[in-house]
Every structure is written in structure tokens, then in C-alpha cells.
Amino acid sequence: MNNEKTKIHFTDNYLLNPTNPITVNLIGAGGTGSKVLTALLEINESLTALGHAGLSVRLWDDDIITTANLGRQRFFESETGLYKSVALINRVNRCIGTNWKAENRKFEKDNFGQIPEEAQATITITCVDNVQARFGVAEILKALSNRRNYRDTPKYWLDFGNSQNTGQVLLSTIGEIKQPNSEKYQTVASLPFVTEEFGELLMQSEQEDNTPSCSLAEALEHQDLFINSSLTQMGCSLLWNLFRRGMTEYKGFFHNLKGFRTHPIKIA
């Protein structure tokens, strides 16, 4: 008889009962990021309807909207030439009356090696298209986690990544999250960074050609039409469960849209 307890991570209490909206840094406003922003809008509206303080999102992306972005990403022809982050945030703010922020720059240290003050957030979500950017984010989050008595203390990192037909979503904690005593479950306080647990896999999976596409048809050769959408729905469901259920026994999943297969990753 197997008496081993199920391993569970309980959500940090601050996310469940905040006095102010939970700060979220969303990094990347392309095929996945533009759709994740819509999902965050839905999470925010649902949380506030349940009496929660909701979310305060800051979107980071220095790219300009081109015709190649239309169709697969959440942009329209009238928005070409605008910054992706500005177009999306303006749309959300007009839609639901929020005061979310756009940063038309990369999420990185400045020329003096300093971390921008705006990089501090309770939740960081990455939807970036290269491995080096992930390692840069990891370096910043580690540095921020060492700061004490600072508002918006970093708690979680949710990373989205994909190739043409496959992808993964992985949840990490930024440091240890205090866990309650439990007789039913084996609680897990720390979930490793994606760059630590799957760093070698990420390096192997990085596409050799990261040059911008000149058309939607060319862009679809790199990423199929619905890979970003399917990753977004499942990945943001993981985030929603942290708020709604207050716990998770999964820290992510691997997804193959071509074969219609998804493999969950249990907390170990």
C-alpha cells in the first residue's frame, strides 16, 4: 500500500488576501504575450467580482507592430507602427477602466547595471522568444529576491515558451514560500527556476533563426496559428488556480498541439 502523500504547493497568503492589487510584470507582447494579457484581464475581472483586490499589470515590450503581426497576434491594421505594449495596454484600460502600464523597452538592467524600479512585482510572467532573455530575467529576479522590506516582493515566475507546434509553461517560486502545516499533503515551499531545472533543454530547443518575419504567411512557418492560444489558456488556468484554489499539485506542462497531447508536470 502506497502511503506517500501528494506533494502540494500552497499559494502565498498575500496573493489570496491582498490589501492592494497584485502587481504583475508581463514580459513580451507578441503571439503569446498579447493573449496572456487578455487572460489577465479576465482573471482581474473575476477576482474583483469575488471581492479580491485584483491585478495591476505592467507590460514590457520594445517591438513595433508590423503587418506580419496581424492575424496571429492580437493586433489590427490600424495599429501598425505603434508600440505593441502601448497599443495593448491602451486597449485594456479603455475596455475595463484599469490603470495598467506599458513599458516600450526591454526588461533588463540599464547601461550602469542597475535594475529598473519598475521591475519589482509580485508575479513575473515571461512570454519571450529567446533563451538569453529568460536567463536575464532570472538574474534580475534573483537580485530582487535578496531585497528586504520592499513593497511588491517577488513571489512567482510563470514562463511560457514554444516552437512551431510545441511548447511548455513552467511555474517557479522566487525564493521559498511559507507553507502551512498539513497532515494530508506534503507541502513544497520552493519551485526551481525554469533556467535551473530545464536550462539545458531550453538551450537545445532555441531556434537558430530568430529574424523577424516579413509577412503573416512567413510567421506561420515559425509558429503555427493556435499554439500560442492553447498554451495561454492552460498556463493562465494554472495561475487562476493559485488564486481560486489556493494550491496546486502541478507546476506546469509540456504541450504538443500537432499531436494533441499535453503532459502535466507534477510538483516533486
Side-chain angles (χ1 to χ4, degrees), residues 22-233:
I22 299 293
T23 51
V24 179
N25 271 330
L26 174 57
I27 305 169
T32 302
S34 61
K35 295 177 174 65
V36 168
L37 184 68
T38 301
L40 292 177
L41 179 158
E42 295 170 352
I43 290 174
N44 177 73
E45 293 296 277
S46 300
L47 286 174
T48 55
L50 294 168
H52 189 278
L55 307 177
S56 177
V57 178
R58 187 178 296 270
L59 177 61
W60 300 71
D61 199 303
D62 67 335
D63 279 349
I64 299 292
I65 301 166
T66 67
T67 55
N69 303 139
L70 310 182
R72 193 177 62 82
Q73 302 181 21
R74 289 262 163 92
F75 302 110
F76 305 98
E77 187 173 358
S78 61
E79 296 173 323
T80 54
L82 301 176
Y83 281 104
K84 290 181 177 180
S85 56
V86 173
L88 288 171
I89 288 297
N90 283 345
R91 195 188 307 162
V92 168
N93 287 341
R94 286 195 301 267
C95 180
I96 61 173
T98 46
N99 189 29
W100 293 1
K101 305 296 184 182
E103 297 287 344
N104 56 353
R105 53 176 169 158
K106 293 181 178 179
F107 185 91
E108 61 185 8
K109 295 180 180 179
D110 63 22
N111 294 333
F112 301 99
Q114 299 299 308
I115 298 172
E117 182 179 342
E118 296 82 5
Q120 190 92 13
T122 303
I123 300 172
T124 296
I125 302 175
T126 43
C127 305
V128 296
D129 57 7
N130 66 81
V131 173
Q132 199 56 45
R134 286 188 179 89
F135 280 95
V137 170
E139 183 181 349
I140 289 174
L141 293 180
K142 285 181 181 178
L144 291 174
S145 69
N146 293 325
R147 298 181 180 179
R148 295 290 181 260
N149 300 320
Y150 200 95
R151 68 184 300 270
D152 304 326
T153 302
K155 301 288 187 182
Y156 293 99
W157 176 15
L158 187 64
D159 177 70
F160 291 76
N162 70 280
S163 56
Q164 184 178 16
N165 295 294
T166 63
Q168 72 285 328
V169 177
L170 292 159
L171 176 70
S172 308
T173 60
I174 304 171
E176 289 194 355
I177 304 297
K178 185 178 180 180
Q179 300 289 286
N181 296 325
S182 176
E183 296 182 0
K184 184 176 181 181
Y185 301 111
Q186 180 181 341
T187 60
V188 178
S190 179
L191 307 177
F193 277 12
V194 58
T195 50
E196 296 170 352
E197 188 172 17
F198 297 103
E200 188 173 329
L201 178 64
L202 290 173
M203 296 297 292
Q204 292 175 354
S205 65
E206 183 170 26
Q207 296 181 9
E208 294 182 4
D209 182 11
N210 286 320
T211 55
S213 302
C214 296
S215 67
L216 175 57
E218 185 179 343
L220 291 171
E221 292 299 318
H222 298 291
Q223 297 185 42
D224 207 8
L225 186 58
F226 290 109
I227 182 63
N228 307 105
S229 301
S230 53
L231 281 173
T232 295
Q233 294 302 307

